[in-house]
Amino acid sequence: MLKISQLVLLAAFTTGNALQLLAQPRFTLHASQPYARTHIRAAEEPDDTLEEVAVDAVLEETAAKAAAAAMTAPAGWEDVTELWSDDKKADIRIEGGGTLKTFKMPEGVERVQYKLASPTGRPIKAKVELWIGPIRSVHELIYDCMDGISFPLAATLQFKKGVDPVLKMSTDSTYEFPLVCGVFVPSKEEEEKLGAITKDMFYTAPLKDRVQGGSTIDGKGGAIRSFPIDDSWEKTQIMVWSKDVGKKSFKTNIEVLQGPNNAKQHINLRCGGSTQPWHGVIDTPGPGWMIRCNSKKYLEDGLFEIAIAPYEVSSGEPAVVMGGF
């Protein structure tokens, strides 16, 4: 038996075949001929098996095309696993109590990658700085999270070529919260690849907005922007840059929340501006995540752009969200 959808397609095929037969030259067949009745009976009885096979083949082809179209993600929504390979691990231990380590950048490089995590699953309270000379710090990141194993931070930082800066990592005064970190200086080819990937992410990100500076007298800062994270994003990438909005330095607080005012990760970020875009990858497993940021600089000198996109997308079933009354 044919289904309704198959009957619709069969009607279309039957109409097309009838038109094609009408266009062909005709011949006369008399019923008195000995073989005429056999051919007429065969013509009057359609072959249902062949028609079902043809309809099923068309339906399968249509379903395959629809599945292929559904699996193709739009720009900015694809996995970007080539930024951080498996061999880049945080394996340098820094004890708590204000302990620090410094890493001198080689000559000619203009990018560095670093990872922050916890060796025991305790909270992370770390500070990362980029120094040019003894008195000039052009980058500062203060990272505070509740679980350093569940929520590590992987960041990529660009700086001016030829300055040969020093990367400094330290813990706060709490002795109970040690830190493990990793610092990776890419090669020239990898630098170009990282630059192309992060730039493409910044201009194709599905979530992007400007953040304006504001009052610094009352400590409230400037504009606040909130971005809901899709439940399928296992890892999320964040990029902050002021290249297209004034090229000034920026200072921002970025909170990663799961639930109302439940901050799991807190990033206090300060960078030098258009020559120092900051790119980070954070873990956002499960539903209910939101990223909230604001500008902590003056109204005239605090404008920047923030772009947010998936880094690793889950292929499983979406989480069930229970609704209230």
Side-chain angles (χ1 to χ4, degrees), residues 91-279:
D91 53 4
I92 302 174
R93 184 182 176 103
I94 302 177
E95 298 296 336
T99 308
L100 64 89
K101 285 187 180 292
T102 57
F103 305 87
K104 174 69 175 177
M105 297 295 104
E107 295 184 2
V109 302
E110 56 181 355
R111 279 184 177 84
V112 63
Q113 292 183 291
Y114 58 86
K115 268 189 174 182
L116 302 177
S118 170
T120 59
R122 303 295 299 275
I124 294 179
K125 297 184 181 295
K127 185 176 183 180
V128 181
E129 299 169 279
L130 190 72
W131 288 82
I132 300 177
I135 59 174
R136 186 186 178 194
S137 173
V138 296
H139 167 71
E140 180 183 72
L141 177 137
I142 301 176
Y143 185 53
D144 190 347
C145 79
M146 299 301 295
D147 186 345
I149 291 182
S150 301
F151 305 109
L153 174 67
T156 303
L157 177 66
Q158 181 180 352
F159 46 84
K160 291 182 178 179
K161 185 185 297 185
V163 296
D164 302 336
V166 174
L167 190 70
K168 172 185 172 183
M169 292 189 177
S170 60
T171 57
D172 70 348
S173 59
T174 308
Y175 286 93
E176 294 79 11
F177 301 149
L179 171 72
V180 287
C181 66
V183 178
F184 315 97
V185 178
S187 62
K188 192 65 178 177
E189 294 77 12
E190 190 178 2
E191 273 191 357
E192 297 177 355
K193 182 180 178 181
L194 292 176
I197 292 174
T198 53
K199 185 177 181 180
D200 180 71
M201 173 266 168
F202 186 74
Y203 288 107
T204 61
L207 303 176
K208 186 178 180 181
D209 205 347
R210 295 185 178 187
V211 186
Q212 179 67 60
S215 173
T216 58
I217 299 175
D218 53 9
K220 295 182 179 179
I224 300 176
R225 297 288 183 265
S226 299
F227 305 92
I229 303 303
D230 191 271
D231 295 347
S232 63
W233 296 7
E234 292 292 326
K235 292 185 179 182
T236 303
Q237 47 183 334
I238 307 170
M239 188 167 180
V240 188
W241 205 1
S242 63
K243 177 182 179 181
D244 300 328
V245 288
K247 301 182 180 181
K248 300 293 184 66
S249 61
F250 56 85
K251 184 178 181 181
T252 178
N253 286 338
I254 301 175
E255 294 177 303
V256 186
L257 306 100
Q258 190 178 29
N261 293 323
N262 183 18
K264 298 288 188 180
Q265 306 168 63
H266 186 274
I267 302 171
N268 192 325
L269 179 65
R270 176 177 62 86
C271 282
S274 63
T275 59
Q276 289 184 337
W278 182 85
H279 180 279

Side-chain angles (χ1 to χ4, degrees), residues 2-81:
L2 296 180
K3 299 179 180 179
I4 295 178
S5 59
Q6 294 176 331
L7 289 175
V8 174
L9 291 175
L10 181 58
F13 294 148
T14 306
T15 305
N17 293 335
L19 293 177
Q20 185 177 3
L21 288 175
L22 290 175
Q24 294 178 355
R26 300 181 179 181
F27 60 93
T28 303
L29 182 64
H30 296 282
S32 59
Q33 297 178 3
Y35 55 88
R37 293 184 180 85
T38 304
H39 285 275
I40 291 174
R41 189 180 301 110
E44 291 176 352
E45 296 177 358
D47 192 349
D48 294 340
T49 304
L50 294 178
E51 291 174 352
E52 289 182 4
V53 172
V55 172
D56 290 340
V58 173
L59 291 177
E60 290 178 0
E61 182 180 358
T62 305
K65 291 181 179 179
M71 290 188 295
T72 303
W77 288 76
E78 305 93 344
D79 289 356
V80 192
T81 56

